[in-house]
Amino acid sequence: MMNLIHSNCINRSQISSSPVSIHGVPLPRRNKKKHSAVRVSNFAASSTEVVADNGRRSLTASVDSKSRALTSGMSSSALEQLDIERGVCIPFRKYSPETVRNKVLESRGAVASLILRGVEIVWKLGLYWSSLMYDCLVGRDKEVVPFRARQLRNLLCDLGPSFIKAGQVLANRPDIIREDYMNELCILQDDVPPFPNQVAFKIIEEELGQPLEALFSKISSRTIAAASLGQVYRATLCSSGEDVAIKVQRPQIEPIIYRDLFLFRTLASFLNGISIQKLGCNAELIVDEFGEKLLEELDYTLEARNIEDFLENFKGDPTVKIPLVYKNLSGSRVLVMEWIDGIRCTDPQAIKNAGIDVNGFLTVGVSAALRQLLEFGLFHGDPHPGNIFAMRDGRIAYVDFGNVAVLSQQNKQILIDAVVHAVNEDYSEMANDFTRLGFLASGTDVSPIIPALEAIWQNSAGKGLSDFNFRSVTGQFNKLVYNYPIRIPERFSLVIRSLLTQEGICFTLKPDFKFLEVAYPYVAKRLLTDPNPALRERLIQVLFKDGVFQWKRLENLIVLAKENVAKMSSNPALQVKNGPTSRSWQTVSKLDLTDTIKDGARLVLFDERIRRQLLLALTEDSKLHVEELVDVYKLVEDDINIPAVAMEVVQDFPNVVRDFLLSWSNSVLSDR
């Protein structure tokens, strides 16, 4: 069953037994509620964190399973590179070049169909390519770009779902296609012709094994939405009278997808040497990323599990709504979910008419997006306006979980590192972060990229938060992609698209909205309050620059974190009284710095270097900096519960004494 298991996959139980420390200073273990297991994905688990879920994700990297993976020939060098970049292990892989080849070449009829399909693709794409060459020869290649881009979009629709999906992917790949073509291909994300109702209803009956009228008392006569792989209807359940959304896969799509993937991979293998030499990107790797994601989206049982994972991650969060999935009414080609009765984010007037506080709603939306990205490592890969709704009680609702992306614990930490390096203006380390995240091949000389990164960041951040937006940064980054051998990994192209799309939604609802004015406070709050040792380490890096303590930076972090708390607490969804989640969210109105104070005290007590730096900070320029200390205290005095902190310190005192004695004995032994 397991096609690929990496030896670096370890179990969560192994991690929990390892010491938790910063700079070698042991930190106290928190209440398990604060460190509840995050649902990472259905088919991938972090290389440093594997979540067991009723046995479904429990992995053991035994020698036998590794031998089977190697002898089965299911992995390719490109796929192995992808797994190394992602830092994940794949317990069940639907895609591999060998699987695709075996599926396509299983019969003589399939081979004949493949040849005919290849001729059709070559003929149609060849005609299009010839027209581009003719434009270049007669010198009109620039003036006909809008027409040719529109022609390409229509051609991809004509070639079928694989090419529509490829067009959707290209719409987010500035490392592969130019911007004017990207803008035209974006239309494919929302505007795809539906297939007939009779065909869709027949698929539902075949998949569920019952006639429609036995399951649904009512079903819409028109599709609610149509996409490259399927379309959606609204219906009412006979059993309960509840309204549901039915997602139905396009007919006979799987053999078409496999056949096209085989042709894509064959072409990529043929052109790989040229693409690496001329473009600095691995064509096989790009096709493998695309194929893996496409086959995952084809299986609606995976999407059902994705929904379960999102439900688990946002459990107890009263600001986010995830639809329930009816697994007993779902299969690999049909998915039945709770109907979301919300307001589309494309209708700002309706949102305002419903009495929803736009600022509060936008804060909730940005915070939910950042939690997916930096906290859970499992995020919605296609949050366009049709997939995000405003609920009338102020919550944000997500639908369509076929396209999700996974970031490993390592990737999340590198992203946070990149934020820290940007704050500290350490551009050489930012360039190294690009290599660690897979944007640059290992061993690439990053020195030419450093000045370009510095120019992009200073040009954008130098304007201040009021003028900073992701679209302008992305536009400048796209130019960087053309000039250097940068490949945007699929998961990060989804991150970029996700952030750009959500920023666009924010602009629709509030034209003067500043994304970073919400994002920065969220990051500040996490840095200050999250007890994760990795984030504690990043907080130290932010507060100390070149060995000097940054008082102003600490004050800014506290102000921003309190701003995030204030905006979140103003959302109507948090004003629910006596609700099931109200108790767990009562403390949202205050910034809880209890754990941060305790961990900081431990660091000062045990870490000589930190202690020396703080003393220098307090006595810098031959004067006591008591005023700065008082300013910081004034910012947090309303948020600190002195009796509660004192009680926790007393309870933790035996552990502190034990750790102090261990630290002292270690230093004595090391001196010898």
Side-chain angles (χ1 to χ4, degrees):
M1 177 178 172
M2 293 186 180
N3 295 334
L4 180 63
I5 299 288
H6 286 305
S7 59
N8 65 343
C9 295
I10 57 176
N11 196 287
R12 176 181 277 273
S13 61
Q14 291 174 284
I15 296 169
S16 61
S17 63
S18 60
V20 179
S21 64
I22 303 175
H23 287 212
V25 176
L27 296 183
R29 298 203 177 279
R30 307 295 183 206
N31 187 306
K32 285 186 180 179
K33 274 191 174 181
K34 290 190 180 181
H35 290 287
S36 58
V38 171
R39 298 283 277 273
V40 184
S41 75
N42 311 295
F43 41 84
S46 166
S47 63
T48 59
E49 186 171 22
V50 178
V51 182
D53 174 27
N54 297 328
R56 190 171 77 198
R57 297 172 182 77
S58 181
L59 303 179
T60 51
S62 65
V63 175
D64 289 341
S65 63
K66 283 178 68 181
S67 301
R68 285 196 299 273
L70 290 171
T71 56
S72 65
M74 295 299 285
S75 64
S76 68
S77 59
L79 285 177
E80 288 170 0
Q81 184 180 337
L82 280 178
D83 291 333
I84 291 168
E85 283 179 9
R86 293 168 176 164
V88 299
C89 48
I90 311 296
F92 177 70
R93 170 164 268 140
K94 293 182 71 68
Y95 171 87
S96 77
E98 292 78 10
T99 304
V100 171
R101 186 177 63 242
N102 293 339
K103 280 261 189 184
V104 170
L105 302 179
E106 60 188 359
S107 68
R108 289 183 180 178
V111 174
S113 173
L114 178 68
I115 293 171
L116 290 174
R117 176 62 169 169
V119 169
E120 178 192 9
I121 293 170
V122 169
W123 175 253
K124 290 183 177 180
L125 290 180
L127 286 176
Y128 180 75
W129 182 261
S130 300
S131 63
L132 292 179
M133 292 300 99
Y134 177 76
D135 292 338
C136 290
L137 286 173
V138 299
R140 63 172 191 177
D141 50 312
K142 292 183 180 178
E143 61 191 71
V144 296
V145 162
F147 171 74
R148 293 302 181 200
R150 191 163 55 253
Q151 192 179 29
L152 176 62
R153 174 173 58 83
N154 293 331
L155 174 61
L156 295 178
C157 283
D158 186 45
L159 285 171
S162 305
F163 285 83
I164 294 173
K165 202 69 190 176
Q168 292 173 346
V169 171
L170 288 173
N172 303 287
R173 297 301 295 263
D175 54 332
I176 300 175
I177 195 168
R178 50 188 287 171
E179 188 174 359
D180 33 27
Y181 279 81
M182 283 171 55
N183 294 334
E184 183 67 32
L185 294 179
C186 280
I187 298 173
L188 292 173
Q189 294 170 353
D190 302 309
D191 187 14
V192 178
F195 58 95
N197 286 347
Q198 296 88 339
V199 177
F201 296 161
K202 185 179 179 183
I203 291 173
I204 296 172
E205 291 179 339
E206 287 175 355
E207 194 72 17
L208 303 185
Q210 296 184 59
L212 276 180
E213 55 271 16
L215 298 170
F216 308 104
S217 59
K218 195 165 55 175
I219 188 167
S220 59
S221 58
R222 297 179 62 183
T223 57
I224 305 300
S228 56
L229 303 183
Q231 55 196 40
V232 179
Y233 295 88
R234 182 175 182 173
T236 304
L237 292 176
C238 289
S239 57
S240 63
E242 294 173 295
D243 283 350
V244 294
I246 309 174
K247 188 174 180 178
V248 191
Q249 194 173 102
R250 289 184 179 271
Q252 300 299 316
I253 193 173
E254 189 171 288
I256 297 171
I257 295 288
Y258 273 104
R259 188 178 58 197
D260 289 349
L261 283 177
F262 177 80
L263 293 169
F264 290 165
R265 191 52 159 73
T266 303
L267 180 62
S269 299
F270 180 71
L271 297 176
N272 201 39
I274 299 172
S275 68
I276 291 174
Q277 184 179 2
K278 300 292 184 183
L279 302 176
C281 62
N282 186 324
E284 289 182 347
L285 192 107
I286 291 170
V287 172
D288 287 343
E289 280 183 307
F290 171 68
E292 193 170 47
K293 181 61 65 179
L294 186 54
L295 291 187
E296 286 163 7
E297 286 192 60
L298 270 184
D299 188 350
Y300 286 179
T301 59
L302 278 181
E303 183 172 351
R305 292 180 183 179
N306 288 337
I307 295 173
E308 289 180 333
D309 289 339
F310 272 81
L311 281 166
E312 180 66 23
N313 286 344
F314 284 107
K315 183 174 65 176
D317 186 340
T319 67
V320 178
K321 171 64 179 175
I322 307 295
L324 297 172
V325 59
Y326 295 82
K327 293 189 76 171
N328 61 320
L329 295 176
S330 302
S332 60
R333 296 185 297 160
V334 173
L335 183 64
V336 178
M337 301 158 286
E338 175 186 5
W339 179 260
I340 295 295
D341 189 18
I343 304 168
R344 282 183 178 269
C345 288
T346 50
D347 193 350
Q349 192 57 47
I351 290 176
K352 291 171 186 172
N353 292 343
I356 298 170
D357 175 43
V358 173
N359 285 329
F361 175 72
L362 292 177
T363 301
V364 163
V366 173
S367 297
L370 291 173
R371 286 191 75 193
Q372 293 171 48
L373 182 62
L374 298 176
E375 189 176 335
F376 306 141
L378 177 70
F379 66 94
H380 198 299
D382 193 19
H384 63 72
N387 287 341
I388 299 180
F389 295 85
M391 306 297 284
R392 285 168 177 78
D393 58 4
R395 289 178 295 170
I396 186 170
Y398 292 91
V399 298
D400 191 0
F401 297 87
N403 190 357
V404 303
V406 179
L407 291 181
S408 68
Q409 185 69 19
Q410 181 187 36
N411 281 169
K412 288 188 292 178
Q413 289 182 3
I414 296 171
L415 280 177
I416 295 170
D417 283 343
V419 173
V420 171
H421 295 148
V423 170
N424 289 341
E425 298 182 352
D426 190 344
Y427 300 108
S428 61
E429 283 302 319
M430 279 182 72
N432 288 328
D433 292 334
F434 271 71
T435 303
R436 294 163 66 201
L437 290 170
F439 285 79
L440 293 164
S442 180
T444 301
D445 180 17
V446 298
S447 55
I449 299 173
I450 294 171
L453 282 175
E454 184 175 356
I456 289 174
W457 183 255
Q458 289 189 344
N459 184 47
S460 302
K463 300 174 183 176
L465 290 180
S466 60
D467 294 311
F468 187 102
N469 68 77
F470 280 111
R471 189 161 297 280
S472 65
V473 174
T474 304
Q476 294 178 65
F477 180 72
N478 290 350
K479 297 174 185 175
L480 186 67
V481 166
Y482 277 113
N483 295 327
Y484 299 97
I486 295 174
R487 175 187 68 87
I488 302 178
E490 171 69 14
R491 62 198 179 283
F492 289 115
S493 74
L494 291 177
V495 170
I496 293 168
R497 178 174 77 176
S498 177
L499 291 174
L500 284 175
T501 305
Q502 290 179 78
E503 185 184 55
I505 292 172
C506 293
F507 287 149
T508 301
L509 297 178
K510 188 182 177 187
D512 61 344
F513 179 78
K514 312 303 175 190
F515 191 91
L516 280 191
E517 286 184 355
V518 177
Y520 259 28
Y522 168 82
V523 173
K525 179 174 171 253
R526 277 213 70 200
L527 280 172
L528 284 173
T529 62
D530 197 311
N532 186 313
L535 285 174
R536 289 283 191 251
E537 189 77 41
R538 272 73 183 176
L539 177 59
I540 291 170
Q541 291 175 28
V542 169
L543 294 179
F544 288 92
K545 184 180 180 183
D546 299 326
V548 178
F549 190 81
Q550 306 293 308
W551 290 103
K552 195 64 181 174
R553 199 170 279 176
L554 175 59
E555 290 178 26
N556 289 340
L557 282 174
I558 293 171
V559 170
L560 288 169
K562 292 181 74 170
E563 184 183 326
N564 176 265
V565 171
K567 284 183 177 178
M568 289 292 288
S569 60
S570 70
N571 189 281
L574 290 171
Q575 311 305 319
V576 180
K577 300 201 174 165
N578 302 320
T581 60
S582 58
R583 178 171 297 182
S584 63
W585 278 77
Q586 282 177 354
T587 57
V588 79
S589 60
K590 283 195 173 184
L591 182 66
D592 186 3
L593 294 172
T594 305
D595 287 339
T596 310
I597 293 170
K598 287 170 59 182
D599 290 344
R602 274 178 167 268
L603 275 174
V604 172
L605 183 64
F606 292 113
D607 193 312
E608 185 180 350
R609 183 173 65 85
I610 293 289
R611 191 163 58 245
R612 187 186 306 115
Q613 287 176 330
L614 279 176
L615 286 172
L616 288 172
L618 287 168
T619 58
E620 191 179 359
D621 298 328
S622 302
K623 67 174 183 177
L624 282 174
H625 289 259
V626 178
E627 188 179 334
E628 288 88 342
L629 202 58
V630 171
D631 289 342
V632 170
Y633 177 74
K634 285 180 179 177
L635 284 173
V636 299
E637 62 178 333
D638 293 335
D639 300 287
I640 298 177
N641 187 335
I642 301 294
V645 173
M647 180 63 69
E648 291 209 24
V649 168
V650 170
Q651 290 174 347
D652 198 40
F653 185 72
N655 292 329
V656 173
V657 172
R658 182 200 63 194
D659 292 337
F660 180 79
L661 291 173
L662 286 171
S663 176
W664 174 78
S665 61
N666 285 336
S667 64
V668 170
L669 291 172
S670 63
D671 288 340
R672 295 184 179 184

